[in-house]
Amino acid sequence: MQTVDTLLINGTVLTMNAAMEQYSDGAVAISGDSIVAVGSTAAIQAAYAAEDVVDCQGQIIMPGLVNTHTHMPMTLLRAMADDLRLDVWLMGYVMPVEREFVDPAFCRLGTQLSCAEMIRGGTTLFADMYYFEAEVAAATAEAGLRAVCGQTVMKYPAPDAASFEESLAYTRQFIEAWRDHPLIVPSVAPHAPYTCTDEILQACTELALEFDVLLQTHILETRQEADDSWTAFEKKVVDRLVGLGVFRAKTIAAHCVHVDSEEIRLLATHGVAVAHNPTSNLKLASGIAPIKGMLERGVRLSIGTDGAASNNDLDMFEELRLAALLVKGATYDPVVLPARDALLMATRWGAEALHLGHLTGSLEPGKRADLIVLDRDPLHNSPRFERDSNSVYSQVVYASQAADVMHTMVNGRWLMRDCALLTLDIATIRAQAVDYARRMETFLNAREGNVLNKLVAIGGLQQEESFEIQVKARVEDDTPVRQALEHPLVEVMRHNHYRQYDTYFLFEDADQGRVRYREDDFITRDGEVGSVRTRLTYTIPTKAAEFDEAVLLSHSRFIAPADRPLRFYREYFQARQECEVHKDRLRWHILYKGVLFYINLDEISEPDIADRYVEIKSRTWSQRDAHYKAALTTEIINDLMGLGREARVRMEYVDLCLAKP
Amino acid sequence: MQTVDTLLINGTVLTMNAAMEQYSDGAVAISGDSIVAVGSTAAIQAAYAAEDVVDCQGQIIMPGLVNTHTHMPMTLLRAMADDLRLDVWLMGYVMPVEREFVDPAFCRLGTQLSCAEMIRGGTTLFADMYYFEAEVAAATAEAGLRAVCGQTVMKYPAPDAASFEESLAYTRQFIEAWRDHPLIVPSVAPHAPYTCTDEILQACTELALEFDVLLQTHILETRQEADDSWTAFEKKVVDRLVGLGVFRAKTIAAHCVHVDSEEIRLLATHGVAVAHNPTSNLKLASGIAPIKGMLERGVRLSIGTDGAASNNDLDMFEELRLAALLVKGATYDPVVLPARDALLMATRWGAEALHLGHLTGSLEPGKRADLIVLDRDPLHNSPRFERDSNSVYSQVVYASQAADVMHTMVNGRWLMRDCALLTLDIATIRAQAVDYARRMETFLNAREGNVLNKLVAIGGLQQEESFEIQVKARVEDDTPVRQALEHPLVEVMRHNHYRQYDTYFLFEDADQGRVRYREDDFITRDGEVGSVRTRLTYTIPTKAAEFDEAVLLSHSRFIAPADRPLRFYREYFQARQECEVHKDRLRWHILYKGVLFYINLDEISEPDIADRYVEIKSRTWSQRDAHYKAALTTEIINDLMGLGREARVRMEYVDLCLAKP
């Protein structure tokens, strides 16, 4: 008779092991962090004794659920804004609130709240992607859950990093600090192909390979992403990732809603695991992922809730049920993904997708004791049939609820007993969460009457641009530009001629930013107006960084097609002041030393300042890149155009106009 | 100060009334069966006093949920058989078990179990369709829930009626007995267009109109139904129903997955309400109903769980969440059916769909007190935002769970307080349900080795035929047939020539029925074999009724295309005996007095009995119709063919062969 720490007896044991063994009157013996034995109650009790013996009569003993894609801290944003178009939701609500509130304390608290919900609902392992991931890791370790924590890297400035280089450095530090932890597995999370440059994707891949950690990313959540990839790279998203060698790293990709059959084949070939997020994909109207095709191709499948901001909870029972149902209805195939396989996706296959199949995901001797005990006969699951060994999977998948979880254990430690959470101070966490919600609400309310808010309210915000390098100089005529264009290191890609009629709306509070309504008349070679486009641009007040005396690192902007007349916007925004700027613009796209720049030669006609200006602009993603491009810009203006510092102008046109008496 | 029976105070009140009024610190006053007042806690407490004052701090007070389509007793079949093709599930499991077990006691117990689950999960009104509906009504009334109870009518024999005339008579009696009940509203439920003849649909409509009761039915659950309607009636399903005048009755149609845009327009025009059943439609792989089109056209929409056999629970929180999510993902439209409207579908719109909007579905003075109190801040719904009045609908729809329901009241009576059920003896009900499950399991296990079960196991069972009138006579030559075909009252529709090679598999136990493997060679005018078809037919042992000496009312059969070779079936069925019958068959489809009959002139070549027989057959759906066709059949054989009683043969060919020495 061997003494162990804990015995669970008299339950229906679902091992979820390779043979899918079940014990109708089963038991599990646990010592330290691990499972010692699984078998019939009689056999286990004959061989093992323990002080902590848990009678699981009328209950199911099974592996804890594995949530392979979530954003833990975003639980603090649950139901903050729902039933909105993706752009309005993301750029109008989630991103502004994240910019304002996401800091280490936010991430820690949000993780604690999410851990509490997960433990209550039977999740024992999750994969997270967010900012300040060390905080997520620390809070999770304290709560006692197992997690793969992925530090986000992307080309935009993030709450925890001003540039991707900073993120990468932070990620490296994070991996080094956490890689030997018994519960936490650090990882690198390049946010998505459309938010990462090739350089970022490759750097993340190298980091993942260097430390042999998982690479987490979002792939093809929306149809738009597929279209945009083709436009921007002339490549399908998965082809681009294969080409960049990203899949040399152990990879798990969330969503994969819009992968085509060829891309599915590539995911299978390269062993990329997929985190299926049915609720979020439906709620944000992204679509229905081709799970049947992935199953047929042998893609490694798993299930994730995504963040609570788009779910709106972290309930894996709901998620695995929806996964099992949705694929059937969407393909008219009632036998695809039977309950048994849906539950595998949420247990063993999930652990394997995270490359933790050797440690968890099934009840087997030697594996960590990550398990849950579930009420087998609640009202909503009565009566019960035992004729077919699949019936019990059907019970768990089609009718069990998070509230049916009685006990939760991770790494041999009880995190919940008899529905009572043991590792988290729920009252304090909830009080702090309520406090955060009130502060976020105050922030959002203060935004009422705010310009961006009003823009969001009318819908149609389209994109967020990134950093821009810009230099401007006053010129007498077009000589400096002609000179530059004829330089042997300059290649002219494209040339356009516009007349631009800008109306600026200026507000009392300068922090509100500015809205520009622009009519862009495209002028043909014959001097006719060829086509007219109207756009609304919102410029956020920005802390511009200067790299050189006259080179600005300007901040991002929101752009929307202006599908209503100028009168509408005038009445809608009720600006303190309006300012008109009309100009004739000659525009060139050039390559200088292989880098793309835009050169504008502008002649202002309204107000009557009768001046000519040249502008040199380039987009940039990282600090290093900005430095490099700033240097090139200086070369163009100094050396190619011969315009000295005295010619440079640091104001926007609208400010020049406003400065006029 | 007015004294009332009950005051609910300090809650977030969602009235769901036309103005969608909310009270963030609200109260409801209840007297007798009705709501007296709804308002702020301060206002209600200033005007009303009660002995029973319920503090709903941190809770939501809202109308109970309305489940507009279910089959209450089928909860006893929950998870009995899952992840099967519709035909295998229905004909292999559900129908055989129903034939064996459905009786008044089954319906009463199943209803009690379902009521318990519904009360626990916050449903206060449901619409049911099943057999022995008086039992459903009685059990529901005892449990205290409100319900529309629909007695099923169809062309097949049902557990509670041998014919549709019996069902109709039973329905009339049921309506008369229950029409003045305070909780139960009786209704008539013609099962579906494809299981009802025109005559049945019209009779049900007249009954509904006579008593001004609701007509419940299933419409276009599957694509197959649309195809079959076209084949059988040369009409779309909804067109057929409009043509028959069915929608003159107050109608609610479940599923409506495969209605096209023209049919949606007709549903809207005729005021037909739709019960949307997203879980069942996904689980059985029926498809995704075009809810967005229905919303745009103004169809009266509501939500139902369908029976627990295809759901597998009666959880309206899950159902309304899925309704809100699914339409977004399926149409790529994130703003369609926002949380607020999804909750309306499950409350006021649901009551209106059942023509009970004047009584229930919202919290308004004068309406019945049908309400629930819901935990507003469980872990999975924290934190909470109050900035937008839609946030609370979002909380209820996207993250609330059945387990969050604290109290349930119907008609002013508490059915659940603090999660404890007050009107049902759960322990007894569950014990009885377990007992039923064991008996059903025993029945199913006994079927192992059974022929139908084996047929089911190989899949592909295709249809269940109905009753057949049949008469057979021995003839010397084809004179009697020729004579009949030339009769002025006979119109020949079609003529075919076959050679049929039948192999019968006969089993030890005659109750097991017979399986026939038939090769049907179609013979062209040139005497060539034009095409070959192989089919498997399973004949259930039947209590044939005789209408005349030689006219049989034969029972229904299962047919499957035989897509495997004869050898496979021989080895698979391991029959006790095989019997070969080969014949040459001349077949005519004729109309006699406008009724369709099939005439076969058969010459048997194997075994060598060298006889000729004539068969007259016709399909029938009701007892009255069978009597009528039996009389016509007798006319044909007696008067047109001149074949007396002495010529008649009452055995099947296989039995004739077996009777040979």
Side-chain angles (χ1 to χ4, degrees):
Chain A
M1 181 73 70
Q2 185 183 334
T3 301
V4 294
D5 291 330
T6 306
L7 283 184
L8 310 182
I9 59 166
N10 300 333
T12 299
V13 175
L14 307 183
T15 65
M16 306 306 286
N17 67 9
M20 294 299 280
E21 283 173 291
Q22 294 179 11
Y23 300 92
S24 60
D25 181 359
V28 179
I30 296 144
S31 242
D33 59 9
S34 295
I35 295 168
V36 174
V38 182
S40 71
T41 298
I44 295 295
Q45 285 197 307
Y48 301 94
E51 216 161 284
D52 184 19
V53 178
V54 184
D55 185 354
C56 301
Q57 185 74 43
Q59 299 173 335
I60 291 168
I61 306 168
M62 57 175 275
L65 301 176
V66 179
N67 183 343
T68 60
H69 181 65
T70 191
H71 311 287
M72 300 288 275
M74 293 184 87
T75 299
L76 289 174
L77 310 181
R78 185 199 323 263
M80 180 185 73
D82 279 319
D83 298 332
L84 298 170
R85 253 174 243 294
L86 182 63
D87 53 1
V88 180
W89 176 71
L90 197 64
M91 292 191 281
Y93 292 90
V94 174
M95 286 172 55
V97 169
E98 284 187 336
R99 271 194 289 266
E100 186 73 17
F101 287 95
V102 172
D103 61 12
F106 179 99
C107 291
R108 176 173 283 264
L109 177 66
T111 301
Q112 289 173 325
L113 182 63
S114 298
C115 283
E117 186 183 347
M118 284 183 165
I119 295 167
R120 181 69 198 83
T123 296
T124 54
L125 165 62
F126 65 87
D128 184 72
M129 282 176 73
Y130 207 61
Y131 312 113
F132 299 109
E133 201 64 27
E135 298 296 327
V136 175
T140 302
E142 275 171 35
L145 279 171
R146 193 179 301 284
V148 177
C149 295
Q151 169 63 32
T152 299
V153 183
M154 60 179 179
K155 68 186 180 186
Y156 302 111
D160 57 358
S163 68
F164 98 82
E165 291 100 333
E166 268 188 45
S167 288
L168 261 187
Y170 178 91
T171 307
R172 171 180 292 274
Q173 199 181 356
F174 169 64
I175 293 170
E176 285 175 340
W178 286 89
R179 61 177 158 161
D180 295 321
H181 195 275
L183 290 173
I184 305 300
V185 180
S187 98
V188 56
H191 174 269
Y194 68 94
T195 54
C196 290
T197 60
D198 288 356
E199 183 187 5
I200 295 174
L201 290 168
Q202 285 174 319
C204 289
T205 305
E206 293 309 325
L207 193 66
L209 289 170
E210 181 183 341
F211 291 99
D212 190 29
V213 296
L214 199 66
L215 184 148
Q216 299 180 66
T217 191
H218 300 88
I219 291 184
L220 285 163
E221 180 171 2
T222 65
R223 201 154 47 178
Q224 186 71 39
E225 185 181 342
D227 296 346
D228 289 351
S229 174
W230 198 254
T231 308
F233 303 101
E234 292 183 349
K235 281 192 183 113
K236 293 197 287 188
V237 171
V238 173
D239 287 349
R240 178 175 163 229
L241 296 174
V242 169
L244 291 170
V246 172
F247 299 152
R248 291 177 301 138
K250 303 182 294 194
T251 306
I252 182 165
H255 303 291
C256 296
V257 177
H258 295 276
V259 287
D260 65 21
S261 61
E262 180 56 24
E263 288 174 300
I264 290 173
R265 196 188 61 76
L266 285 169
L267 294 177
T269 305
H270 292 272
V272 176
V274 169
H276 178 38
N277 312 111
T279 299
S280 175
N281 295 341
L282 290 179
K283 182 150 181 287
L284 298 176
S286 307
I288 297 170
I291 292 304
K292 186 177 177 181
M294 294 186 201
L295 283 163
E296 285 167 356
R297 282 287 191 182
V299 174
R300 308 158 70 103
L301 277 170
S302 65
I303 301 178
T305 55
D306 206 355
S310 62
N311 185 298
N312 291 355
D313 55 37
L314 306 173
D315 186 335
M316 277 295 290
F317 283 97
E318 274 179 24
E319 208 65 33
L320 76 94
R321 172 155 49 246
L322 183 55
L325 292 173
L326 187 58
V327 64
K328 294 179 176 66
T331 63
Y332 296 105
D333 182 353
V335 300
V336 68
L337 198 65
R340 173 196 133 103
D341 292 355
L343 193 56
L344 275 168
M345 272 177 80
T347 54
R348 178 157 53 83
W349 293 359
E352 287 165 0
L354 299 176
H355 292 258
L356 293 174
H358 59 294
L359 278 188
T360 186
S362 58
L363 303 186
E364 301 181 57
K367 280 201 181 184
R368 299 295 173 271
D370 296 353
L371 56 85
I372 59 176
V373 178
L374 193 68
D375 185 356
R376 198 186 51 189
D377 301 310
L379 258 182
H380 52 268
N381 236 331
S382 299
R384 185 164 55 80
F385 291 82
E386 292 167 348
R387 187 180 51 85
D388 178 343
S389 65
N390 286 315
S391 293
V392 63
Y393 303 123
S394 187
Q395 278 204 296
V396 174
V397 171
Y398 295 124
S400 283
Q401 301 176 0
D404 298 340
V405 180
M406 315 299 294
H407 318 306
T408 301
M409 174 184 273
V410 174
N411 216 41
R413 176 185 183 197
W414 287 115
L415 307 187
M416 183 174 79
R417 278 294 279 273
D418 296 316
C419 304
L421 298 175
L422 303 175
T423 56
L424 289 157
D425 174 1
I426 286 309
T428 304
I429 292 167
R430 285 174 57 163
Q432 289 174 344
V434 167
D435 181 54
Y436 253 108
R438 289 297 80 75
R439 283 161 52 204
M440 289 188 264
E441 207 142 55
T442 303
F443 166 76
L444 286 169
N445 283 333
R447 255 194 13 175
E448 287 302 320
N450 168 293
V451 178
L452 178 58
N453 201 36
K454 295 195 90 164
L455 265 168
V456 163
I458 55 172
L461 278 187
Q462 217 171 34
Q463 66 181 88
E464 192 182 23
E465 292 198 335
S466 57
F467 300 150
E468 203 173 52
I469 295 291
Q470 183 181 316
V471 64
K472 182 187 272 159
R474 193 174 194 165
V475 292
E476 292 303 315
D477 52 31
D478 64 359
T479 313
V481 174
R482 298 282 157 208
Q483 217 169 287
L485 295 177
E486 283 159 15
H487 191 275
L489 285 175
V490 169
E491 186 186 349
V492 177
M493 308 296 290
R494 201 165 146 192
H495 173 54
N496 290 320
H497 182 190
Y498 301 96
R499 271 184 219 118
Q500 296 179 325
Y501 304 89
D502 296 344
T503 303
Y504 285 87
F505 297 117
L506 308 168
F507 302 93
E508 201 67 48
D509 174 5
D511 287 347
Q512 295 259 328
R514 290 166 179 171
V515 173
R516 182 183 72 197
Y517 175 93
R518 167 172 288 180
E519 178 186 325
D520 233 340
D521 292 7
F522 175 77
I523 308 298
T524 66
R525 285 172 186 241
D526 309 325
E528 306 286 331
V529 174
S531 62
V532 175
R533 176 173 72 164
T534 53
R535 292 203 302 181
L536 221 55
T537 305
Y538 174 63
T539 316
I540 301 173
T542 143
K543 295 171 231 128
E546 300 197 12
F547 283 82
D548 194 342
E549 205 181 328
V551 179
L552 296 170
L553 182 64
S554 99
H555 224 146
S556 47
R557 305 179 301 177
F558 294 102
I559 294 179
D563 50 7
R564 307 181 198 197
L566 177 58
R567 179 202 50 74
F568 168 84
Y569 299 106
R570 179 167 291 140
E571 293 177 6
Y572 182 75
F573 286 114
Q574 300 278 344
R576 180 183 58 83
Q577 188 183 354
E578 285 184 27
C579 179
E580 296 280 319
V581 179
H582 301 174
K583 62 180 174 290
D584 185 277
R585 167 167 286 182
L586 294 170
R587 184 181 180 89
W588 293 267
H589 299 204
I590 66 155
L591 289 181
Y592 173 63
K593 296 188 175 174
V595 176
L596 183 65
F597 290 89
Y598 307 97
I599 295 186
N600 296 329
L601 181 62
D602 296 333
E603 185 171 345
I604 310 295
S605 60
E606 166 69 35
D608 187 16
I609 50 177
D611 281 341
R612 277 207 186 82
Y613 297 89
V614 64
E615 286 185 333
I616 306 168
K617 298 185 175 193
S618 186
R619 299 211 177 111
T620 183
W621 305 119
S622 75
Q623 293 209 357
R624 201 182 55 197
D625 183 67
H627 273 287
Y628 179 59
K629 287 183 177 157
L632 291 182
T633 307
T634 307
E635 285 178 26
I636 296 171
I637 202 153
N638 275 349
D639 307 349
L640 277 58
M641 296 189 176
L643 295 167
R645 295 200 168 204
E646 69 293 348
R648 309 237 180 119
V649 176
R650 292 171 59 188
M651 291 165 100
E652 299 284 334
Y653 290 130
V654 59
D655 297 313
L656 285 173
C657 298
L658 289 169
K660 286 261 157 184
Chain B
M1 181 72 73
Q2 186 184 331
T3 302
V4 295
D5 292 332
T6 306
L7 283 183
L8 310 183
I9 60 167
N10 300 333
T12 299
V13 175
L14 308 183
T15 66
M16 305 306 284
N17 66 9
M20 294 299 280
E21 283 173 292
Q22 295 180 10
Y23 299 93
S24 60
D25 181 0
V28 179
I30 296 143
S31 240
D33 58 9
S34 295
I35 295 168
V36 174
V38 182
S40 71
T41 298
I44 295 293
Q45 284 197 309
Y48 301 95
E51 216 161 282
D52 185 17
V53 178
V54 184
D55 185 354
C56 301
Q57 185 72 46
Q59 298 172 336
I60 291 168
I61 305 167
M62 58 175 275
L65 301 176
V66 180
N67 182 342
T68 61
H69 181 64
T70 189
H71 310 288
M72 300 287 277
M74 293 184 86
T75 299
L76 289 173
L77 310 181
R78 186 201 320 264
M80 179 185 76
D82 279 320
D83 297 332
L84 298 169
R85 252 173 248 294
L86 181 62
D87 53 0
V88 180
W89 177 73
L90 196 63
M91 293 192 282
Y93 292 89
V94 174
M95 286 173 54
V97 168
E98 285 187 333
R99 271 194 290 267
E100 186 73 15
F101 287 94
V102 173
D103 61 11
F106 179 97
C107 290
R108 177 174 283 266
L109 178 66
T111 300
Q112 288 173 327
L113 182 63
S114 297
C115 283
E117 186 184 347
M118 282 183 167
I119 295 167
R120 182 68 198 85
T123 295
T124 54
L125 165 62
F126 65 86
D128 184 72
M129 282 175 73
Y130 206 60
Y131 311 113
F132 300 108
E133 201 64 27
E135 297 295 328
V136 174
T140 301
E142 275 171 35
L145 279 171
R146 193 179 301 285
V148 177
C149 294
Q151 168 63 31
T152 299
V153 183
M154 59 178 179
K155 68 186 181 187
Y156 303 112
D160 57 358
S163 69
F164 97 83
E165 290 100 332
E166 268 188 45
S167 287
L168 261 187
Y170 178 90
T171 307
R172 171 180 290 275
Q173 201 181 353
F174 169 64
I175 292 171
E176 284 175 340
W178 286 88
R179 63 177 157 159
D180 294 322
H181 195 277
L183 290 172
I184 304 302
V185 181
S187 98
V188 55
H191 174 268
Y194 68 95
T195 54
C196 291
T197 60
D198 289 356
E199 183 188 4
I200 295 174
L201 290 168
Q202 285 175 320
C204 289
T205 304
E206 294 308 324
L207 193 66
L209 288 170
E210 181 184 340
F211 290 99
D212 190 29
V213 297
L214 199 66
L215 184 147
Q216 299 181 67
T217 191
H218 300 87
I219 290 184
L220 285 162
E221 180 170 1
T222 66
R223 204 156 43 179
Q224 185 71 37
E225 185 182 343
D227 297 346
D228 289 350
S229 173
W230 198 252
T231 308
F233 303 100
E234 293 185 347
K235 281 192 184 112
K236 293 197 288 190
V237 171
V238 173
D239 287 347
R240 180 176 161 229
L241 296 174
V242 169
L244 292 170
V246 172
F247 298 151
R248 290 177 301 137
K250 302 182 295 195
T251 307
I252 183 164
H255 301 292
C256 296
V257 177
H258 296 276
V259 286
D260 65 20
S261 61
E262 180 56 25
E263 287 173 300
I264 290 174
R265 196 187 60 77
L266 285 170
L267 294 177
T269 305
H270 291 273
V272 176
V274 169
H276 179 39
N277 313 113
T279 299
S280 175
N281 295 341
L282 292 178
K283 182 152 181 285
L284 299 176
S286 307
I288 296 171
I291 292 304
K292 186 177 177 182
M294 294 187 202
L295 282 164
E296 285 167 354
R297 283 285 191 183
V299 173
R300 306 157 72 103
L301 277 170
S302 65
I303 300 177
T305 55
D306 206 356
S310 63
N311 184 299
N312 290 349
D313 55 37
L314 305 174
D315 186 335
M316 277 293 291
F317 283 97
E318 276 179 23
E319 207 66 33
L320 75 93
R321 173 158 44 248
L322 183 53
L325 293 172
L326 187 57
V327 63
K328 294 178 177 66
T331 63
Y332 296 106
D333 182 353
V335 299
V336 69
L337 199 66
R340 172 198 135 103
D341 293 354
L343 194 55
L344 275 168
M345 274 177 79
T347 54
R348 179 156 53 83
W349 295 359
E352 288 166 359
L354 299 176
H355 291 260
L356 294 174
H358 58 295
L359 280 187
T360 187
S362 57
L363 303 185
E364 300 182 57
K367 282 201 180 182
R368 299 295 174 271
D370 296 354
L371 56 83
I372 59 176
V373 178
L374 192 68
D375 186 356
R376 198 187 52 190
D377 301 310
L379 259 182
H380 53 269
N381 236 332
S382 299
R384 185 165 55 82
F385 290 82
E386 291 168 348
R387 188 180 50 83
D388 179 343
S389 65
N390 287 315
S391 293
V392 63
Y393 303 123
S394 187
Q395 278 203 297
V396 174
V397 171
Y398 295 123
S400 284
Q401 301 176 0
D404 299 339
V405 180
M406 314 301 294
H407 319 305
T408 302
M409 173 183 275
V410 174
N411 216 41
R413 178 186 182 195
W414 286 116
L415 307 187
M416 183 173 80
R417 278 293 281 273
D418 295 318
C419 304
L421 297 176
L422 303 175
T423 57
L424 290 157
D425 174 1
I426 287 308
T428 304
I429 293 167
R430 286 174 56 162
Q432 290 174 343
V434 167
D435 181 54
Y436 254 107
R438 289 296 79 74
R439 284 161 53 203
M440 290 188 265
E441 207 141 57
T442 305
F443 166 77
L444 285 169
N445 284 333
R447 254 192 16 173
E448 287 303 319
N450 168 295
V451 177
L452 177 58
N453 200 37
K454 295 192 89 161
L455 265 168
V456 163
I458 55 172
L461 279 188
Q462 217 171 35
Q463 66 181 83
E464 191 181 24
E465 292 198 335
S466 56
F467 301 150
E468 203 173 52
I469 295 292
Q470 184 181 315
V471 64
K472 182 186 273 161
R474 192 178 196 159
V475 292
E476 293 304 313
D477 54 29
D478 64 359
T479 314
V481 174
R482 296 284 160 209
Q483 217 169 287
L485 295 176
E486 282 159 17
H487 190 276
L489 285 174
V490 169
E491 186 186 347
V492 177
M493 308 297 291
R494 202 165 146 191
H495 172 54
N496 290 320
H497 182 192
Y498 301 96
R499 272 186 218 116
Q500 296 180 324
Y501 305 89
D502 296 344
T503 303
Y504 285 87
F505 298 117
L506 307 167
F507 302 92
E508 200 68 51
D509 175 5
D511 288 346
Q512 295 260 328
R514 290 167 176 170
V515 173
R516 181 183 74 196
Y517 175 93
R518 167 172 287 179
E519 178 185 325
D520 233 341
D521 292 6
F522 175 78
I523 308 300
T524 65
R525 284 172 186 239
D526 310 325
E528 306 286 333
V529 174
S531 63
V532 174
R533 178 173 71 166
T534 53
R535 292 203 301 181
L536 220 55
T537 304
Y538 173 63
T539 315
I540 301 172
T542 146
K543 294 169 232 129
E546 299 196 12
F547 284 80
D548 194 342
E549 206 181 328
V551 178
L552 293 171
L553 182 65
S554 99
H555 223 143
S556 48
R557 306 178 299 178
F558 294 101
I559 294 179
D563 51 6
R564 307 181 197 197
L566 178 58
R567 178 201 49 76
F568 168 84
Y569 299 106
R570 181 167 289 139
E571 292 177 5
Y572 182 73
F573 286 112
Q574 302 280 342
R576 178 184 57 81
Q577 188 184 353
E578 283 184 29
C579 178
E580 295 281 320
V581 179
H582 302 174
K583 62 180 173 292
D584 184 276
R585 166 167 286 183
L586 295 170
R587 183 180 179 89
W588 294 268
H589 299 205
I590 67 155
L591 288 181
Y592 173 62
K593 295 189 175 175
V595 177
L596 183 66
F597 290 89
Y598 307 97
I599 295 185
N600 296 329
L601 181 63
D602 295 334
E603 185 171 345
I604 309 296
S605 59
E606 167 69 35
D608 188 15
I609 50 176
D611 282 339
R612 276 207 185 82
Y613 296 88
V614 64
E615 284 185 335
I616 306 170
K617 297 185 175 193
S618 186
R619 298 213 177 110
T620 184
W621 305 119
S622 75
Q623 292 209 354
R624 202 181 55 194
D625 182 68
H627 273 285
Y628 179 60
K629 287 182 178 159
L632 292 182
T633 308
T634 308
E635 285 176 26
I636 297 172
I637 201 154
N638 275 350
D639 309 347
L640 278 58
M641 296 187 175
L643 295 168
R645 295 200 167 205
E646 71 292 347
R648 310 239 179 119
V649 176
R650 292 173 58 190
M651 291 166 98
E652 299 283 335
Y653 291 128
V654 59
D655 297 313
L656 284 172
C657 300
L658 289 169
K660 288 260 160 185

